[in-house]
Amino acid sequence: MARHEHLRNMVLSALFAALLVVSGRVMIPLPWTPVPITLQTLVVMVAGALLGPWWGATSVVIFLVMGAAGAPVFAGGAGGAVVLVGPTGGYIFAWLVAVIGIGWLLRLPIGGRHVRLWIAVMLFGVVAIDLLGTIQLAAVGHLGFGEALLAGVVPFLPGDIAKAVVTVGVTEAVAAALPNLPGTAPLAPNPSTPKPQRSIF
Amino acid sequence: MQHGVVSGAYIATGSWLHRMDPRAKWLAVLVWMVSVLLARPLWGYPVEAATLAVVLATTRLPLSALFRGLGAIWWLLGLSALLQLLYQHGGVVLVRLGPIVVTSVGVRLAVVYTLRVVLLVAGAALMTASTTPLALSRGLEGLMRPLRRWLPVADFAMMLSIALRFIPTLLEELQSLRFAQAARGARFDEGHLWHRMRALLPLLIPLLVLSLRRADEIALAMEARGYGAASERGALHPLQWRRADTLALAGAVGIGLSGLLPGPVLGAG
């Protein structure tokens, strides 16, 4: 049973890495900037909330390795390690911080799960990603911190906040449908409900 | 919506590059990246560009394969070149138009930075164009084998293969969910930001639930076939390091080193 659990979590992480790639293809053009937003940060936040810090981070690492190898997995079909060391790479490295932070905060025994989820997506999904991303943008792009904020965060902030809000809805809907994921299992909303039978073993 | 994102990067021509051991290709890409970063632009970049041209000519890969990886970076590349041009001052003033001053240092930095990114991307693109996703992950696994005492290298490679394998499947699923919603009258391409986001909810939730349910089935199937039962997984076609791989890797190192030579220095460095 424990091995099945481990295998299932491995596959979950792998599928979330694939979802990260797929969500990079769903683009929403913004009228005020030529760079469209994608749903990748949304999937990062959902991964942290549903898979927990360890398996969530694993899926982001798989994604990073695919990208570094040159597979066109980043937003808009970009690929290669150069994306990571380039001016916008910080926003992608920050996903690792965000996914671990969200998974970790959700496990803290403070307040209700719903409240923690809101705090986690805003704090790690929006603030941490934008802060770390801006630091690399300023450093690599030879820009001042203020200019970097103006170029890399301000145009995308409405989208980021909208994604965080949608994340909460998506996470709760999926957690309700599948109550025994690694990130949700220890804190299932109602422990008295019998665990659904998952395998014949 | 493109199909087979990752497998789409692979272009089968059956050349020497395709037959190379994927481990050698990973190492060569690493050497390539380091040498592009360290090269002296005036001498190293032409040598590296010539190398790309030779590889391209002998492997019958199309020129477009090199630049596919740039994607939306083209735009950023242009922007950063423009910023360098306008804000980096020094050397000789070339153009002065009111507040806009372009100096020789600005031009040099803009050109060098852009070329560096293009060369880096093109080198890595050669690997993904000539290697199947499965071979890529097996090559990585082979290289990380010495670490397997401390890290679950085989498990990681397995996860990498699963992820690569399921990208096209999930894309297809997303497409059919999109059609299903469109048939019910959903619009994804109008309204303002918030409406568009909301319209994606009926796509995202089923996509997540479907793929997470599938994880259970895949894990069960793997278990039924004895995954993890043997201490080490074998392979039907084990990777084989040939003399050609050593030669190609030595060539990559040679080209990398030649880019470090002083060469003709014309004020650049």
Side-chain angles (χ1 to χ4, degrees), chain A residues 15 17-27 40 72-74 77, chain B residues 1-9 162-179 203 207-208 210-211 214:
Chain A
L15 289 184
L19 278 170
L20 265 174
V21 178
V22 171
S23 60
R25 303 277 147 166
V26 182
M27 291 190 222
Q40 283 181 318
V73 302
F74 297 118
Chain B
M1 191 67 38
Q2 289 118 307
H3 269 268
V5 187
V6 173
S7 51
I162 296 175
L164 288 167
R165 165 65 186 78
F166 276 92
I167 292 168
T169 314
L170 294 183
L171 269 177
E172 235 157 69
E173 226 147 65
L174 180 68
Q175 185 73 293
S176 47
L177 285 168
R178 201 190 280 253
F179 285 146
L203 294 186
L207 184 65
L208 278 164
L210 279 175
S211 37
R214 175 172 294 143

Side-chain angles (χ1 to χ4, degrees), chain A residues 110-172:
Chain A
I110 313 165
R113 189 183 154 84
H114 189 69
V115 178
R116 287 201 303 270
L117 186 58
W118 274 105
I119 296 174
V121 295
M122 287 301 171
L123 192 64
F124 290 105
V126 179
V127 177
I129 290 183
D130 282 340
L131 197 67
L132 293 172
T134 308
I135 291 171
Q136 183 162 343
L137 183 59
V140 179
H142 300 291
L143 299 167
F145 192 77
E147 295 168 70
L149 265 183
L150 217 58
V153 173
V154 173
F156 307 105
L157 205 56
D160 287 346
I161 292 172
K163 277 189 268 186
V165 173
V166 172
T167 300
V168 174
V170 169
T171 304
E172 306 220 305

Side-chain angles (χ1 to χ4, degrees), chain A:
Chain A
M1 195 59 210
R3 197 167 99 205
H4 176 75
E5 202 97 312
H6 182 79
L7 256 182
R8 189 201 56 161
N9 290 345
M10 270 175 60
V11 179
L12 274 176
S13 293
L15 289 184
F16 251 98
L19 278 170
L20 265 174
V21 178
V22 171
S23 60
R25 303 277 147 166
V26 182
M27 291 190 222
I28 304 174
L30 298 176
W32 54 84
T33 131
V35 181
I37 59 170
T38 71
L39 294 182
Q40 283 181 318
T41 41
L42 190 150
V43 175
V44 168
M45 291 187 268
V46 174
L50 291 181
L51 300 187
W54 166 248
W55 292 106
T58 307
S59 62
V60 172
V61 170
I62 296 171
F63 174 84
L64 289 177
V65 170
M66 288 195 282
V73 302
F74 297 118
V82 63
V83 179
L84 297 174
V85 295
T88 56
Y91 294 101
I92 298 170
F93 282 122
W95 292 357
L96 210 50
V97 176
V99 78
I100 294 173
I102 290 172
W104 164 79
L105 205 145
L106 274 178
R107 289 206 172 152
L108 289 185
I110 313 165
R113 189 183 154 84
H114 189 69
V115 178
R116 287 201 303 270
L117 186 58
W118 274 105
I119 296 174
V121 295
M122 287 301 171
L123 192 64
F124 290 105
V126 179
V127 177
I129 290 183
D130 282 340
L131 197 67
L132 293 172
T134 308
I135 291 171
Q136 183 162 343
L137 183 59
V140 179
H142 300 291
L143 299 167
F145 192 77
E147 295 168 70
L149 265 183
L150 217 58
V153 173
V154 173
F156 307 105
L157 205 56
D160 287 346
I161 292 172
K163 277 189 268 186
V165 173
V166 172
T167 300
V168 174
V170 169
T171 304
E172 306 220 305
V174 176
L178 302 161
N180 47 6
L181 295 169
T184 54
L187 303 155
N190 188 358
S192 64
T193 44
K195 260 196 160 184
Q197 201 179 345
R198 223 190 19 255
S199 76
I200 52 167
F201 298 120

